[in-house]
Amino acid sequence: MMTGSDSNAVAGGLARHIPVLARRAVGWLNVHDGGLYIDATFGGGGYTRAILATPGARAIGIDRDRSAIARGAALAGEAQGRLDLVEDRFSNLQSIVEDAAVDGIVFDLGVSSMQIDEAARGFSFRLDGPLDMRMGGDGPSAADIVARAGERDLAAIIATLGEEKHARSVARAIVRARRAQPIESTAALADIVARVVHARPDAIHPATRTFQALRIFVNDELTELARGLAAAERVLKSSGRLAVVAFHSLEDRIVKTFLTERSRAPAASRHRPEPASAPPTFRVLTRRPETPDEAEIADNPRARSAKLRAAERTDAEARSGGIENLLPRLPLLADVMRGRP
Ligand SMILES: C[S@@+](CC[C@H](N)C(=O)[O-])C[C@H]1O[C@@H](n2cnc3c(N)ncnc32)[C@H](O)[C@@H]1O
């Protein structure tokens, strides 16, 4: 995640932002001359720039957002053959790197300031725009979900992915409002939510949690994360490093659970006295998640919720599957789009 700053133009000069925890996250990668590093969430290129600061290091920057990749062209030019940019989802990491041995992978999850601050992308309840929220241009938009989902599915999405305790009231209000007219703009949705969720003046905007939920659902962010971590396990070489910066508890819980499971040899139990044979595939480097210091938070309020975890790949064979348990139960997109009641 990153935020606006007048003094931090990077990667192509169009975006102005401060990458969060970049120095520390990239620090965990142990970047060295000749190494190959993946920036799975290229965004404005701040992390990639930090990787490329080591002479001789090579990087692949991935982003599902075409405009992020286009903006990165200037940095790729500066890097003189050390940077490849790929427009794709990071869940496809393995096919992107093919057989290359990867020394380090970093994920800086969520959306960028450029995405949030461009009203036409529809991520922000503060800027009126079409209710879109797609990071890539594909699949149903937030407006499609809000138009089609049944009340129960809407409530489940908002409760689970927004951790919104008024989810049922919000879902009911959405269904009532869309009978009168389609909900097509961010301002319209924010107004509907604000009528049923009453926040204290000093608290976050009442629509924050509903917008977060829809954004995560539209972009299937948690499945992407679980698949991205599993792909990282497959492509990292022995002693390769993984660093992940998460911005809310749903993301951080997935990262933490994945690393805990992958760093622990399965124990023997009373029912199965022989321990299962899969040895740990990661060694956790951060016993507790690292967080930004006060200076970074003062400079960049969006850094406040960031949590950084890092791990080192062992030489054990990657485990197959085993990511479904990382994900919360959610309605299926196909059911939601069918508009089941
Ligand atoms: C917080 S920003 C990254 C900022 C970046 N570290 C920097 O320093 O500028 C997150 C970026 O990841 C991209 N992204 C999110 N989920 C993705 C996914 N599943 N696959 C590829 N890119 C993704 C978003 O489009 C966004 O540009």
Side-chain angles (χ1 to χ4, degrees):
M1 173 81 76
M2 54 206 165
T3 188
S5 155
D6 288 336
S7 59
N8 279 271
V10 295
L14 286 179
R16 295 166 302 153
H17 55 265
I18 306 172
V20 175
L21 286 171
R23 199 173 44 79
R24 279 204 266 161
V26 173
W28 279 114
L29 299 187
N30 258 348
V31 180
H32 58 79
D33 187 352
L36 174 64
Y37 302 88
I38 312 294
D39 180 351
T41 51
F42 178 77
Y47 279 40
T48 293
R49 192 175 276 279
I51 291 167
L52 294 173
T54 298
R58 292 173 299 132
I60 299 175
I62 302 171
D63 207 295
R64 68 195 291 185
D65 185 335
R66 180 165 303 167
S67 54
I69 295 300
R71 259 195 314 268
L75 182 58
E78 275 174 49
Q80 301 187 332
R82 291 197 292 135
L83 171 62
D84 289 317
L85 292 175
V86 180
E87 180 191 336
D88 205 339
R89 296 169 177 232
F90 55 58
S91 54
N92 294 327
L93 200 55
Q94 197 170 10
S95 63
I96 295 169
V97 304
E98 297 176 338
D99 292 330
V102 176
D103 293 273
I105 302 179
V106 65
F107 294 82
D108 176 23
L109 299 169
V111 276
S112 69
S113 291
M114 289 82 80
Q115 290 166 328
I116 293 174
D117 295 344
E118 193 181 331
R121 303 295 303 267
F123 286 104
S124 173
F125 44 76
R126 298 185 195 287
L127 305 169
D128 192 17
L131 189 57
D132 190 316
M133 301 198 193
R134 287 172 296 185
M135 293 183 195
D138 53 333
S141 68
D144 295 329
I145 305 294
V146 161
R148 304 285 288 274
E151 187 174 322
R152 271 215 332 258
D153 283 347
L154 269 176
I157 292 166
I158 296 167
T160 307
L161 299 180
E163 301 182 290
E164 168 60 83
K165 54 178 190 291
H166 304 292
R168 286 171 65 179
S169 310
V170 173
R172 202 174 314 124
I174 289 173
V175 169
R176 200 181 311 126
R178 78 186 181 196
R179 278 195 206 113
Q181 70 184 87
I183 305 165
E184 288 172 339
S185 72
T186 54
L189 180 61
D191 279 355
I192 291 162
V193 179
R195 269 182 250 140
V196 291
V197 178
H198 302 289
R200 291 192 318 271
D202 59 337
I204 56 170
H205 187 287
T208 306
R209 296 178 195 284
T210 298
F211 270 62
Q212 171 183 300
L214 286 171
R215 191 202 86 204
I216 295 174
F217 190 76
V218 163
N219 295 290
D220 202 10
E221 289 177 40
L222 302 184
T223 309
E224 274 294 304
L225 174 56
R227 291 189 179 151
L229 294 172
E233 183 186 40
R234 290 192 294 271
V235 305
L236 275 172
K237 59 161 80 157
S238 172
S239 301
R241 294 285 184 88
L242 171 69
V244 188
V245 178
F247 285 87
H248 52 74
S249 54
L250 296 161
E251 288 172 345
D252 186 53
R253 204 172 302 142
I254 290 174
V255 180
K256 181 179 172 190
T257 308
F258 175 81
L259 290 179
T260 304
E261 283 177 358
R262 295 314 215 238
S263 60
R264 194 173 51 197
S269 74
R270 200 155 50 89
H271 308 290
R272 200 183 53 185
E274 287 306 310
S277 57
T281 54
F282 280 101
R283 183 171 70 85
V284 174
L285 301 169
T286 44
R287 254 165 49 89
R288 289 167 188 276
E290 294 189 353
T291 52
D293 57 26
E294 282 176 18
E296 181 165 8
I297 293 171
D299 207 25
N300 178 4
R302 284 181 188 163
R304 208 174 24 228
S305 54
K307 284 192 175 150
L308 163 62
R309 295 182 190 269
E312 184 173 84
R313 186 72 172 83
T314 66
D315 57 9
E317 199 177 316
R319 294 186 190 171
S320 56
I323 55 163
E324 297 72 23
N325 66 320
L326 300 174
L327 297 169
R329 280 171 66 93
L330 281 171
L332 295 174
L333 179 64
D335 289 337
V336 168
M337 291 307 288
R338 228 183 290 127
R340 64 174 183 176

